[in-house]
Amino acid sequence: MALIKKFRIKKFKDKKPVASLHKVSLSYGKRQILDNINLELSSGEIVGLLGPNGAGKSTLFNLLIGLIKPNFGKVIIQNKDVTNYPIYERAKKFNIGFVPQHGGYFHDLTLLDNLKAVGEIIINDKRLLESKINELLLKFELDNVKDIKAKFLSGGQKRKLVICMALIGDPKILLCDEIFAALDVLTIHMLKKVIVNLQRENPNMCIIICEHQARELLSIVDRALILSECKIIAEGSPHSLLKDEKAKSHYFGDYF
C-alpha cells in the first residue's frame, strides 16, 4: 500500500468533538439498516467508512447531513441536538460541506458560475466571495477551465469542482461519498493529495470519507470504521484495522 501521508493523528491532544451519533437506529419497513450506532467525530481528523454494499455507509452520511432522520437515537453537531433540523439549516448553521458520489453541480453552468451559484447563498459580501472563488480556482488548478460548462469537464475536474463547491463556505465538517469512484489511477492519486493537503491547511476541519476502494482510503485516513450487519464491527488506525479479526472476516478477507 503506497502511503501518501507522512503522519497520522493517533491521539488528539485537544480533542474537540464536532459531531456524533448516539444510539442511532434506522430501518425501512422490516429491513434494519443501522442498529444502535454510536460514533464520535473530532476536529482535525480524516475518518474513513468502509463496508460491503448495503451496510449503511451512505445512510450514515444522510443522517449526518439531515436528508433522513433516525427511528431512534440522536444526531449531535457541535454539542447541539440536530436530529430534527432540516438539511439546509444544518449546512448553513453548522458549516457542513458535502461531496456526493454523483453530480452535485449544474451541468449547463460554467465551472465559475457553479461556484458563484453556491457562494452567493453562503457569502453576502461580493468582494469576499470573489476572493474565495479565486483562491479555490488557484488551489485546485481550475482557473484555465473556469469558463467551460461543467458537463464538458473531465471526471477529475468535475470532482474537484464539487469539492470546491463544498469548501466555499469553509466547512467544519466535510463529507465525501465515494470520492474515488470511476476515476483513473492518476486522478485518484491527485485527489488523495488534495484531501491530505486540506487537513494540513484546515487543522480544525473534520473530513469523513465513505469509500469502497479500501487501499486508497486507508492510505490517507487517521482512523477507519467498518460497517457490517447494521453495526460498527471494527474501528481503529489503518494498521490496527488490517490486523483485526472481525475486519478480516466481515470485509477484508484473507487476501487483502
Side-chain angles (χ1 to χ4, degrees), residues 72-126:
F72 303 99
K74 294 180 180 180
V75 180
I76 308 295
I77 298 178
Q78 296 172 32
N79 297 316
K80 182 83 173 180
D81 185 349
V82 300
T83 310
N84 295 310
Y85 279 45
I87 185 171
Y88 70 88
E89 195 168 350
R90 290 193 201 187
K92 288 196 70 175
K93 191 169 184 178
F94 299 101
N95 288 23
I96 300 176
F98 181 49
V99 180
Q101 179 181 358
H102 302 293
Y105 56 86
F106 301 101
H107 291 69
D108 285 317
L109 292 183
T110 65
L111 186 149
L112 180 60
D113 286 339
N114 266 280
L115 293 176
K116 286 181 178 178
V118 173
E120 287 171 355
I121 298 172
I122 302 170
I123 303 173
N124 295 321
D125 187 319
K126 289 186 177 180

